[in-house]
Amino acid sequence: MAGAAKNEPGRVDWRLAAPLGFTYLAFFAAPLLILLAMSFAADDRFASFSMDSWVKFWGDPFYRGVVYDTVRLGMVAVLATSALSYPIALLFIASGPLVRKLLIFIILLPLLTSVVIRTFAWIVILAREGVVNQTLLALGLTSAPLNLLQTELGLVIALTQIEMPLMLLPLVTVMQQINPSLSDASRALGGSKWRTFFRVILPLSLPGWIAGATLVFASATTAFISQTVIGGARLVYLPSLIWQQSMVVFDWPFAAVASVTLLVAVLSGVMLFSLLGRFARTT
Amino acid sequence: MNQPLPVDQGANAAIQRRSVGEPLTLDGITHSYGDGLAVDDVTLQVAGGELVALLGPSGCGKSTLLRIVAGFLNQSQGHVKIGERFVDSLPPNRREVGIVFQNYALFPHMTVADNIAYGLDARGDSRSDQRFRVEKMLKTVRMEDFGDRKPGQLSGGQQQRVALARALAVQPRILLLDEPFAALDKNLRLDMQIEIKRLQRQFALTAILVTHDQEEAMAIADRIAVMRKGRIEQLGTPVEIYDQPETLFVNDFIGSSNRFEGEVLGREADRYVIRLDNGAIWHIATSKTFSTGDAVLVTARPEQLVLVDQPYDGAFAVERTLSLPLGGTLIHDVETPKGATIKVAAPRRVGEAAPPLGPTHCALTENAAPILFPKSAG
Ligand SMILES: Nc1ncnc2c1ncn2[C@@H]1O[C@H](COP(=O)(O)OP(=O)(O)OP(=O)(O)O)[C@@H](O)[C@H]1O
Ligand SMILES: [Mg+2]
């Protein structure tokens, strides 16, 4: 009976969580607090505190634009990966075991290559004399090569490919668990394929989508390498702004403001997705 | 409360768009998955308002056949006709076939009411019509108080009722039931069997029930199609299937029976004279033809056998090893000298206890109609 009390649901033995908990406190929570404090520092020596950096950041339309562009990039990446992932996930659940294995392999393949290599591969593809432009020119679809590098479109294309596994894996996992009889039931009740998708499959797949959207949003907004390599100097997002301010300009309080802003932006996006999911499920 | 209450009649009239269900014809249906033949040339006519049970062991192709009727699978060969119309080229959502699955397949993210309204909404009924019919259907399956619940908050039997209400709400032309009782415990199963039979009668629905429970098939089907390896082995009323199994497979699959080996001695009037290997002489009527000297198998149900005190030429010696009073029946396990076990069932009179174990004799009851099969069939 003594053991039974320990197994009660809701009663967690915190001692097991303590090592990781303290690690987080020391190396995650504490630095975050320092970062927050730094954003209010008035000078390099942290002797006095003021709102100066915050006012400078939010008072300047350029920096507000950077925040907006960063969040937008995350949203567009989520939209693009969602639009491409659902058809693949549907194909996956409709397939036999062999095709499923093949699909999983294709989905995982990008993860086996480093982000840096994939990003540089995209430069080769998107460049003025790259594969895309050569194909378009050969087909006569365009007379002059398109400028894809250092554009948001090019960056979104690359990020979509790079981040597809993050959307696909949770989505496929959840959709696999949906009872296939549910689609049959919907069809037998007179539901078209579209109705079956929007009324049955989509709502039931939302937990997977929320997980995927969260991962894609968080990593697209913070994708420093892809953003700087493909976006170049023309496109500025929060991660490169932070790098520039801290490592080039050495304005640490200002970099801290940008960092806290990025953190809050990512967290808000994540919260938005789970709210959206919960809202869609209950209506 | 001042108004007259024609509600129930009105509801039933609305539900009962067709007074008699439409016939279903399966014509030479064949289906194979890759190289394995799952359904092999099945031809079956289900009359309007009739409930036919597809009965057979696991893997004999029952579900496959049902999925073909519903349109989830396209058969390799053959035709499905509902009423006067071939439906082979129609997708499932245009066949007007209702289906109830073993796991109910209720939409877990919708309330009970939304589940029932799903098909109504799909065909474009107005909101108020939907609400009206959902209420009627909830009443029909006696679930009025559960409209706002989610399926996860219901018991198995309640989910079953909702699944039935959902399928019936759109007035399907055919109702398909794929092992709908398999997940229910025994008492509830009986209730639901009665419930389904009641609704099927009430709405004069043409229905196909898939099951591998022979008692269930006997209890609620008008006719039973016994399936084996993708073919219909025998089609008939429950009584025909039980009393006159055409093959050993059907005989063994339905009910329990005892098997004896023997030899044809000759023919007397309309009966063959058979000498069993255990020495007894039985006179058995059959429509099959045998000639003298043929080796045969004889099967007899436990209730067609009786234990007698005195030996005679129709009886053989056995040893009673076990007697169980099961309610109104006494079940005896008896053993032949060769060691074969035979089951004998007899009605138990009030106060009658199990008789003492020991040697006795076994014979046919007066009206017994054992079945003859050629030995080669076994
Ligand atoms: N999707 C499939 N792919 C390949 N073979 C299948 C598939 N579904 C069923 N089969 C095979 O077809 C045969 C008939 O299967 P079916 O599901 O119709 O049997 P069943 O009579 O419904 O059995 P049970 O009583 O176990 O439900 C089986 O041999 C089965 O292995
Ligand atoms: Mg089955």
Side-chain angles (χ1 to χ4, degrees):
Chain A
M1 279 295 110
K6 276 188 189 158
N7 290 336
E8 258 176 55
R11 284 195 58 169
V12 180
D13 194 338
W14 58 270
R15 279 170 297 183
L16 284 175
L20 192 64
F22 284 125
T23 312
Y24 266 104
L25 270 180
F27 297 104
F28 189 72
L32 267 184
L33 284 175
I34 296 172
L35 187 72
L36 193 63
M38 194 185 292
S39 73
F40 291 101
D43 53 57
D44 305 3
R45 284 163 293 119
F46 309 118
S48 56
F49 293 92
S50 76
M51 294 288 290
D52 287 358
S53 298
W54 284 93
V55 171
K56 183 179 156 203
F57 187 90
W58 285 100
D60 190 331
F62 173 77
Y63 295 123
R64 286 203 301 268
V66 171
V67 175
Y68 172 77
D69 286 349
T70 307
V71 172
R72 205 178 101 111
L73 181 69
M75 291 292 173
V76 173
V78 167
L79 280 182
T81 48
S82 305
L84 291 175
S85 292
Y86 266 101
I88 300 177
L90 285 174
L91 178 68
F92 182 89
I93 54 170
S95 310
L98 203 75
V99 179
R100 284 187 178 198
K101 277 203 193 97
L102 196 73
L103 277 173
I104 281 284
F105 179 70
I106 294 173
I107 293 169
L108 289 178
L109 203 56
L111 288 180
L112 303 179
T113 329
S114 123
V115 176
V116 181
I117 294 173
R118 276 184 284 160
T119 302
F120 279 104
W122 273 106
I123 290 188
V124 176
I125 296 169
L126 296 175
R128 286 187 82 81
E129 55 286 350
V131 183
V132 172
N133 273 320
Q134 277 173 5
T135 312
L136 289 178
L137 285 170
L139 291 174
L141 290 173
T142 172
S143 51
L146 293 179
N147 201 8
L148 289 170
L149 281 180
Q150 309 206 354
T151 65
E152 196 187 26
L153 177 65
L155 181 54
V156 166
I157 292 175
L159 279 180
T160 302
Q161 190 271 338
I162 289 168
E163 264 136 35
M164 272 295 271
L166 301 183
M167 176 61 87
L168 262 173
L169 281 179
L171 197 59
V172 159
T173 310
V174 168
M175 280 178 62
Q176 234 179 324
Q177 287 158 5
I178 299 177
N179 178 355
S181 303
L182 294 180
S183 318
D184 288 347
S186 163
R187 301 281 282 142
L189 287 165
S192 63
K193 284 185 176 163
W194 287 107
R195 170 179 286 269
T196 303
F197 176 73
F198 282 110
R199 296 293 175 85
V200 180
I201 307 287
L202 187 64
L204 291 175
S205 72
L206 279 181
W209 179 82
I210 291 170
T214 303
L215 291 171
V216 169
F217 183 78
S219 67
T221 45
T222 56
F224 178 69
I225 295 170
S226 308
Q227 286 170 4
T228 41
V229 171
I230 295 175
R234 276 180 50 190
L235 300 176
V236 181
Y237 297 98
L238 279 172
S240 53
L241 180 72
I242 295 167
W243 179 78
Q244 191 195 22
Q245 291 297 321
S246 57
M247 308 309 282
V248 182
V249 185
F250 284 106
D251 186 348
W252 283 22
F254 195 76
V257 171
S259 301
V260 173
T261 303
L262 179 60
L263 199 70
V264 171
V266 171
L267 285 180
S268 330
V270 167
M271 263 150 61
L272 179 77
F273 290 127
S274 57
L275 272 182
L276 215 67
R278 222 166 287 158
F279 174 76
R281 263 196 99 130
T282 48
T283 47
Chain B
M1 281 291 106
N2 301 330
Q3 290 169 316
L5 286 171
V7 183
D8 260 334
Q9 250 92 47
N12 287 345
I15 290 159
Q16 235 164 322
R17 190 170 55 182
R18 304 168 190 88
S19 52
V20 176
E22 298 189 48
L24 169 71
T25 309
L26 305 183
D27 183 16
I29 301 284
T30 299
H31 188 79
S32 48
Y33 297 101
D35 40 345
L37 208 56
V39 174
D40 184 7
D41 193 20
V42 166
T43 294
L44 173 66
Q45 304 226 358
V46 185
E50 187 184 27
L51 193 162
V52 169
L54 298 180
L55 176 65
S58 194
C60 70
K62 309 178 295 285
S63 297
T64 304
L65 198 55
L66 216 62
R67 296 178 65 76
I68 287 169
V69 176
F72 302 139
L73 269 180
N74 284 321
Q75 67 271 29
S76 319
Q77 275 171 50
H79 301 286
V80 180
K81 200 162 118 186
I82 299 176
E84 288 307 307
R85 193 150 59 116
F86 286 102
V87 295
D88 302 307
S89 57
L90 291 182
N93 53 328
R94 301 200 28 227
R95 289 199 181 187
E96 299 179 60
V97 168
I99 182 159
V100 176
F101 296 90
Q102 175 177 339
N103 53 31
Y104 318 130
L106 295 176
F107 304 126
H109 56 301
M110 298 182 197
T111 61
V112 165
D114 287 344
N115 264 280
I116 298 176
Y118 188 89
L120 305 169
D121 193 43
R123 74 177 182 200
D125 284 12
S126 72
R127 279 287 141 115
S128 59
D129 283 1
Q130 287 181 30
R131 218 170 304 131
F132 177 78
R133 285 196 56 81
V134 166
E135 234 147 72
K136 295 309 158 209
M137 291 317 300
L138 281 173
K139 200 167 212 170
T140 307
V141 295
R142 303 178 194 142
M143 291 281 293
E144 296 97 321
D145 299 334
F146 297 88
D148 294 330
R149 296 244 196 131
K150 290 276 177 71
Q153 301 165 314
L154 300 178
S155 72
Q158 292 169 333
Q159 292 185 39
Q160 170 78 275
R161 287 199 165 86
V162 176
L164 203 56
R166 183 179 69 174
L168 294 181
V170 288
Q171 300 143 309
R173 301 202 288 167
I174 307 286
L175 180 64
L176 305 177
L177 305 152
D178 193 355
E179 310 219 17
F181 312 111
L184 302 177
D185 64 41
K186 203 165 172 163
N187 285 332
L188 197 54
R189 191 180 303 188
L190 193 64
D191 287 350
M192 285 310 301
Q193 285 167 356
I194 294 169
E195 182 92 8
I196 286 202
K197 189 69 196 167
R198 173 179 76 85
L199 291 171
Q200 185 256 337
R201 283 267 164 79
Q202 184 183 339
F203 298 145
L205 272 168
T206 309
I208 294 189
L209 166 78
V210 161
T211 176
H212 53 235
D213 177 349
Q214 43 110 358
E215 278 178 32
E216 181 175 300
M218 302 278 294
I220 67 175
D222 296 313
R223 282 192 300 161
I224 297 176
V226 182
M227 288 187 67
R228 178 196 195 187
K229 293 183 184 159
R231 297 182 143 268
I232 292 185
E233 186 104 346
Q234 187 175 355
L235 176 67
T237 64
V239 169
E240 279 165 8
I241 298 270
Y242 188 82
D243 289 347
Q244 296 147 38
E246 279 164 15
T247 64
L248 265 176
F249 174 81
V250 174
N251 179 81
D252 291 349
F253 196 76
I254 308 280
S256 58
S257 71
N258 302 294
R259 218 189 250 211
F260 306 94
E261 296 188 6
E263 180 193 352
V264 179
L265 289 187
R267 207 180 155 100
E268 241 173 50
D270 59 339
R271 286 157 186 247
Y272 283 102
V273 182
I274 310 291
R275 187 180 59 221
L276 303 188
D277 287 2
N278 56 35
I281 307 282
W282 284 0
H283 297 246
I284 303 172
T286 178
S287 55
K288 300 177 193 131
T289 41
F290 296 92
S291 35
T292 305
D294 279 358
V296 288
L297 286 174
V298 182
T299 67
R301 306 266 181 215
E303 64 273 16
Q304 296 181 326
L305 296 176
V306 60
L307 298 180
V308 291
D309 298 333
Q310 299 301 318
Y312 63 101
D313 60 2
F316 54 95
V318 290
E319 177 96 8
R320 179 161 43 215
T321 52
L322 185 69
S323 287
L324 296 173
L326 284 183
T329 314
L330 262 177
I331 307 282
H332 308 287
D333 258 7
V334 299
E335 213 168 81
T336 64
K338 280 187 183 160
T341 304
I342 292 168
K343 265 199 170 49
V344 180
R348 192 178 63 90
R349 285 180 293 274
V350 176
E352 185 185 3
L357 305 182
T360 178
H361 304 272
C362 181
L364 287 174
T365 61
E366 214 169 312
N367 304 318
I371 315 285
L372 272 183
F373 295 99
K375 175 83 182 293
S376 53

